[in-house]
Amino acid sequence: MPPVPFWRCEKCHREHERIEDARQCEAAHLEPVSVTARRYTVKPHPYQVDVLFTDGKSRVYNAEDLGG
């Protein structure tokens, strides 16, 4: 049985048959530019953060684990 070569995106680890597809996948992932705390709870880390990405859009993320 011959080996089946593939290329893996370094960011999401998706496997691609062609190196061009893997490079396009890597380029399509956004990078955070800045992170701003929006809301705190009694814990020292923020419960909610606003993340600005390289495409100029921002997104709000909530903490999933408040027990830790």
Side-chain angles (χ1 to χ4, degrees):
M1 178 182 313
V4 179
F6 62 86
W7 301 92
R8 181 176 289 145
C9 173
E10 289 191 24
K11 294 183 179 178
C12 70
H13 305 289
R14 181 178 175 195
E15 297 172 357
H16 301 272
E17 293 180 10
R18 300 178 329 137
I19 191 170
E20 296 84 13
D21 295 337
R23 287 183 176 152
Q24 287 177 357
C25 186
E26 287 179 359
H29 292 284
L30 299 174
E31 293 289 330
V33 175
S34 67
V35 178
T36 306
R38 292 187 73 182
R39 180 181 275 168
Y40 284 88
T41 62
V42 294
K43 303 286 184 182
H45 58 278
Y47 167 74
Q48 196 174 67
V49 294
D50 186 36
V51 181
L52 177 65
F53 291 96
T54 49
D55 66 349
K57 296 179 182 177
S58 63
R59 184 166 180 182
V60 176
Y61 290 93
N62 295 316
E64 293 181 10
D65 178 23
L66 294 177

